[in-house]
């Protein structure tokens, strides 16, 4: 019984390190998505007003705004640039 308890206690810090590493990776990915979206919005061919709308939305809801920019806004800006 003592050896089993000692084994579980020895594994506890490893599990904490794995969880902290996973959280750090997710946070770093979310930051990369956010800053990538901001840079992409600024460089897009949208009008200044639409850029402002996307920037405000991305700043108000960083993860959702950035994700929606890459799913909807970026494609729309490329489509509009081809029309003009």
């Amino acid at each position: 019984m003592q050896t089993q308890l000692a084994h579980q206690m020895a594994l506890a810090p490893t599990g904490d390190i794995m969880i902290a590493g996973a959280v750090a990776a997710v946070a770093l990915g979310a930051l990369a998505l956010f800053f990538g979206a901001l840079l992409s919005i600024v460089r897009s061919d949208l009008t200044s007003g639409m850029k402002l709308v996307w920037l405000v939305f991305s700043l108000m809801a960083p993860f959702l705004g950035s994700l929606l920019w890459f799913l909807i806004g970026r494609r729309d800006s490329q489509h509009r640039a081809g029309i003009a």
Side-chain angles (χ1 to χ4, degrees), residues 4-22:
Q4 186 179 22
L5 182 61
H7 182 66
Q8 288 176 348
M9 289 180 68
L11 290 179
T14 305
D16 291 344
I17 292 171
M18 294 292 287
I19 291 171

Side-chain angles (χ1 to χ4, degrees), residues 29-39 58-59 61-63 66 70:
L31 279 173
L33 178 73
F34 176 66
F35 286 117
L38 291 180
L39 187 62
S58 292
L59 290 171
F63 182 74
S66 301
F70 283 117

